[in-house]
Amino acid sequence: ATKDDAIGEVYDKVARVLDLKYPGGPNIEKLAKEGKASYKLPIPMNDDSLNLSFSGLKSSIINLVHNEEQRGNSINKADLAYSFQIIAIDELIRKLEIAINNYKVENVIVAGGVSANNYLREEVKKLTDKYNLNLSIPKMLYCTDNAAMIASCGFYEYQKGNFADLTLNAVPNLKL
């Protein structure tokens, strides 16, 4: 579980700091292709747990950009986008490998908005090939809109006759 910001939220916030359009994920990925890892960023939640935490990485980038702007220095946006993306995705992959080594994993499913990220897809594919695991990743068409994912869950709840009245409120950690 994430202890704070989800990776997609951090992509959006980092994109905003870099003056990129919303949604941040595709714009950071596109810009990162032009960059290199020239910024040293902290590794988020660098432990052997399966927990994730991206707020420190996000704060580090916000502070870096702010401090450089205060000094009158420019940021190489492509390099910062690349440096961020490599750290964030590599941490997801590292945690996935910990899970694979600690549990009887046969199938890996990649979902959510960040599943549209090609670097993530490539790295998960390498890892699942290494361990000879089944990999399921939705077509790009189904990765960019969380509304489609929520509607899919809603469809199954509808089939079960599970309805809510208008007092229903968002519960971010609701078990579906």
Side-chain angles (χ1 to χ4, degrees), residues 27-47:
N27 295 306
I28 286 180
E29 182 177 17
K30 181 179 178 183
L31 185 59
K33 289 177 183 175
E34 303 169 17
K36 59 186 183 305
S38 65
Y39 289 97
K40 178 126 175 77
L41 300 172
I43 298 171
M45 204 77 191
N46 191 12
D47 63 14

Side-chain angles (χ1 to χ4, degrees), residues 62-73:
I62 291 169
N63 291 334
L64 172 78
V65 171
H66 175 75
N67 290 337
E68 290 303 307
E69 286 174 350
Q70 292 296 314
R71 293 183 186 112
N73 298 330

